[in-house]
Coordinates of all heavy atoms in Angstrom, one line a residue:
I1 N -14.7 6.4 19.2 CA -15.9 7.2 19.6 C -15.5 8.5 20.3 O -16.2 9.5 20.0 CB -16.6 6.3 20.7 CG1 -17.2 5.1 20.0 CG2 -17.7 7.1 21.4 CD1 -17.7 4.0 21.0
A2 N -14.4 8.6 21.0 CA -14.0 9.8 21.6 C -13.3 10.8 20.7 O -12.9 11.9 21.1 CB -13.0 9.5 22.8
G3 N -13.1 10.4 19.4 CA -12.5 11.3 18.4 C -10.9 11.3 18.5 O -10.3 12.3 18.1
L4 N -10.4 10.2 19.0 CA -9.0 10.2 19.3 C -8.3 9.1 18.5 O -7.1 8.7 18.7 CB -8.7 9.9 20.8 CG -9.2 10.9 21.7 CD1 -9.0 10.6 23.2 CD2 -8.4 12.3 21.5
S5 N -8.9 8.6 17.4 CA -8.3 7.6 16.5 C -7.7 8.3 15.3 O -8.3 9.2 14.7 CB -9.4 6.6 16.1 OG -8.8 5.7 15.2
S6 N -6.5 7.8 14.9 CA -5.8 8.5 13.8 C -6.2 7.8 12.4 O -5.8 8.3 11.4 CB -4.3 8.4 14.0 OG -3.9 7.0 13.9
G7 N -6.9 6.7 12.5 CA -7.3 6.0 11.2 C -6.3 4.9 10.8 O -6.5 4.1 10.0
Y8 N -5.1 5.1 11.2 CA -4.0 4.2 10.9 C -3.7 4.0 9.4 O -3.2 2.9 9.0 CB -4.3 2.7 11.5 CG -4.5 2.8 13.0 CD1 -5.7 3.0 13.6 CD2 -3.4 2.7 13.8 CE1 -5.9 3.1 15.0 CE2 -3.5 2.8 15.2 CZ -4.8 3.0 15.7 OH -4.9 3.1 17.1
E9 N -4.0 5.1 8.6 CA -3.6 5.0 7.2 C -2.7 6.2 6.8 O -1.9 6.1 5.9 CB -5.0 5.0 6.3 CG -5.8 3.8 6.5 CD -7.0 3.8 5.6 OE1 -7.3 4.9 5.1 OE2 -7.6 2.8 5.3
V10 N -2.9 7.4 7.5 CA -2.2 8.5 7.2 C -1.6 9.1 8.5 O -2.3 9.2 9.5 CB -3.1 9.6 6.5 CG1 -2.3 10.9 6.3 CG2 -3.6 9.1 5.2
C11 N -0.4 9.5 8.4 CA 0.2 10.2 9.7 C -0.5 11.5 9.9 O -0.6 12.3 9.1 CB 1.7 10.5 9.3 SG 2.5 11.4 10.7
P12 N -1.1 11.6 11.2 CA -1.8 12.9 11.5 C -0.9 14.1 11.6 O -1.4 15.2 11.7 CB -2.5 12.5 12.8 CG -1.5 11.5 13.5 CD -1.0 10.7 12.3
V13 N 0.5 13.9 11.7 CA 1.4 15.0 11.9 C 1.8 15.6 10.5 O 1.6 16.8 10.2 CB 2.6 14.6 12.7 CG1 3.5 15.8 12.8 CG2 2.2 14.0 14.0
C14 N 2.3 14.7 9.6 CA 2.8 15.2 8.4 C 1.9 15.0 7.2 O 2.1 15.5 6.1 CB 4.2 14.6 8.1 SG 4.1 12.7 7.8
G15 N 0.9 14.1 7.4 CA -0.1 13.9 6.3 C 0.3 12.8 5.3 O -0.4 12.7 4.3
R16 N 1.4 12.2 5.5 CA 1.9 11.2 4.6 C 1.2 9.9 4.8 O 1.0 9.4 5.9 CB 3.4 11.0 4.7 CG 4.0 10.0 3.7 CD 5.5 9.9 3.9 NE 5.9 9.5 5.3 CZ 5.9 8.2 5.6 NH1 5.4 7.2 4.9 NH2 6.2 7.9 6.9
R17 N 0.8 9.2 3.7 CA 0.2 7.9 3.8 C 1.2 6.8 4.1 O 2.4 6.8 3.6 CB -0.5 7.5 2.5 CG -1.2 6.2 2.4 CD -2.1 6.0 1.2 NE -3.2 6.9 1.3 CZ -4.3 6.7 1.9 NH1 -4.5 5.5 2.6 NH2 -5.3 7.6 1.8
Y18 N 0.9 6.0 5.1 CA 1.8 4.9 5.5 C 2.0 3.9 4.4 O 1.1 3.6 3.7 CB 1.3 4.2 6.8 CG 1.0 5.1 7.9 CD1 -0.2 5.0 8.6 CD2 1.9 6.0 8.4 CE1 -0.5 5.8 9.7 CE2 1.8 6.8 9.5 CZ 0.5 6.7 10.2 OH 0.2 7.4 11.2
S19 N 3.3 3.3 4.3 CA 3.5 2.3 3.5 C 3.1 1.0 4.1 O 2.9 0.9 5.3 CB 5.1 2.2 3.2 OG 5.8 2.0 4.3
D20 N 3.0 -0.1 3.3 CA 2.5 -1.4 3.8 C 3.4 -1.9 5.0 O 2.9 -2.5 5.9 CB 2.4 -2.4 2.7 CG 1.2 -2.1 1.8 OD1 0.4 -1.3 2.2 OD2 1.2 -2.7 0.7
D21 N 4.8 -1.7 4.9 CA 5.7 -2.3 5.9 C 6.1 -1.3 6.9 O 7.1 -1.5 7.6 CB 6.8 -2.9 5.2 CG 7.6 -1.9 4.4 OD1 7.1 -0.8 4.2 OD2 8.7 -2.2 3.9
E22 N 5.4 -0.2 7.1 CA 5.8 0.8 8.0 C 5.4 0.6 9.5 O 4.4 0.0 9.8 CB 5.1 2.1 7.6 CG 5.8 3.4 8.3 CD 5.5 4.7 7.6 OE1 4.9 4.6 6.5 OE2 5.9 5.7 8.1
V23 N 6.4 0.9 10.3 CA 6.3 0.7 11.8 C 5.8 2.1 12.3 O 6.4 3.1 12.0 CB 7.5 0.3 12.5 CG1 7.4 0.2 14.0 CG2 7.9 -1.1 12.0
L24 N 4.8 2.2 13.1 CA 4.3 3.4 13.6 C 5.0 3.8 15.0 O 5.2 2.9 15.8 CB 2.8 3.4 13.8 CG 1.9 3.2 12.5 CD1 0.5 3.6 12.8 CD2 2.5 4.0 11.3
G25 N 5.1 5.1 15.2 CA 5.4 5.5 16.6 C 4.3 6.3 17.2 O 3.1 6.0 17.0
F26 N 4.5 7.2 18.1 CA 3.6 7.9 18.9 C 3.9 9.4 19.0 O 5.1 9.7 19.3 CB 3.3 7.3 20.2 CG 2.2 7.9 20.9 CD1 0.9 7.5 20.7 CD2 2.4 8.9 21.9 CE1 -0.1 8.2 21.5 CE2 1.4 9.5 22.6 CZ 0.1 9.1 22.4
S27 N 3.0 10.3 18.7 CA 3.2 11.7 18.9 C 2.6 12.1 20.2 O 1.3 12.1 20.3 CB 2.6 12.6 17.8 OG 2.5 13.9 18.1
D28 N 3.3 12.6 21.2 CA 2.8 13.0 22.4 C 2.1 14.4 22.3 O 1.2 14.8 23.1 CB 3.8 13.1 23.6 CG 5.0 13.9 23.3 OD1 5.1 14.5 22.2 OD2 5.9 13.9 24.1
Q29 N 2.5 15.1 21.2 CA 1.9 16.4 21.0 C 0.4 16.3 20.5 O -0.5 17.0 21.0 CB 2.6 17.2 19.9 CG 2.0 18.6 19.6 CD 2.9 19.3 18.6 OE1 3.8 18.8 18.0 NE2 2.5 20.6 18.3
L30 N 0.1 15.3 19.7 CA -1.2 15.0 19.2 C -1.9 13.9 19.9 O -3.1 13.6 19.8 CB -1.2 14.7 17.7 CG -0.8 15.8 16.8 CD1 -0.9 15.3 15.3 CD2 -1.7 17.0 17.0
A31 N -1.1 13.2 20.8 CA -1.6 12.0 21.6 C -2.1 11.0 20.6 O -3.3 10.5 20.8 CB -2.6 12.5 22.6
S32 N -1.3 10.7 19.7 CA -1.9 9.8 18.5 C -0.7 9.0 17.9 O 0.4 9.5 17.9 CB -2.6 10.6 17.5 OG -2.9 9.8 16.4
P33 N -1.0 7.8 17.4 CA 0.0 7.1 16.6 C 0.4 8.0 15.4 O -0.5 8.7 14.8 CB -0.7 5.8 16.2 CG -1.7 5.6 17.2 CD -2.2 7.0 17.6
C34 N 1.6 7.8 14.9 CA 2.1 8.6 13.8 C 3.3 7.9 13.1 O 3.7 6.9 13.6 CB 2.5 10.0 14.2 SG 4.0 10.0 15.4
C35 N 3.9 8.4 12.0 CA 5.0 7.8 11.5 C 6.2 8.0 12.4 O 6.3 8.9 13.2 CB 5.3 8.4 10.0 SG 5.8 10.1 10.1
R36 N 7.3 7.1 12.2 CA 8.4 7.2 13.0 C 9.1 8.5 12.9 O 9.8 9.0 13.9 CB 9.4 6.1 12.7 CG 8.8 4.6 13.1 CD 8.4 4.4 14.5 NE 9.6 4.4 15.4 CZ 10.4 3.4 15.5 NH1 10.0 2.2 14.9 NH2 11.4 3.4 16.4
S37 N 9.1 9.2 11.7 CA 9.8 10.5 11.6 C 9.2 11.6 12.4 O 9.9 12.5 12.8 CB 9.7 10.9 10.1 OG 10.4 10.0 9.3
C38 N 7.9 11.5 12.7 CA 7.2 12.5 13.4 C 7.0 12.0 15.0 O 6.4 12.9 15.7 CB 5.8 12.7 12.9 SG 5.9 13.4 11.2
A39 N 7.5 10.8 15.3 CA 7.3 10.4 16.6 C 8.1 11.2 17.6 O 9.1 11.7 17.3 CB 7.6 9.0 16.7
S40 N 7.5 11.2 18.9 CA 8.3 11.8 20.0 C 9.3 10.9 20.5 O 9.0 9.8 20.7 CB 7.2 12.2 21.1 OG 6.1 12.9 20.6
M41 N 10.5 11.5 20.7 CA 11.6 10.7 21.2 C 11.4 10.2 22.6 O 12.0 9.3 23.1 CB 12.9 11.5 21.1 CG 13.3 11.9 19.7 SD 13.6 10.5 18.7 CE 15.0 9.8 19.4
S42 N 10.4 11.0 23.4 CA 10.2 10.7 24.8 C 9.3 9.5 25.0 O 9.1 9.0 26.1 CB 9.7 11.9 25.5 OG 8.5 12.3 24.9

C-alpha cells in the first residue's frame, strides 16, 4: 500500500528475474528485497 513492495519476482536493483530456487537479500539503498548479488553487505 505504501509503495514499498518489490513484487518478489524481479530484482529492483539489476532488473533480473529471480530463479525458482533463489535466496533474496536486502538493498539498504532501495530499502527493498533484492538478489544476493545486489544485496548490501551491511
Side-chain angles (χ1 to χ4, degrees):
I1 291 171
L4 298 172
S5 175
S6 68
Y8 300 94
E9 293 183 344
V10 175
C11 175
V13 180
C14 66
R16 181 178 59 79
R17 181 169 291 276
Y18 302 129
S19 62
D20 288 342
D21 60 350
E22 190 157 359
V23 177
L24 302 193
F26 184 84
S27 167
D28 55 5
Q29 182 178 3
L30 294 183
S32 171
C34 64
C35 70
R36 295 298 293 275
S37 299
C38 298
S40 307
M41 298 301 293
S42 59

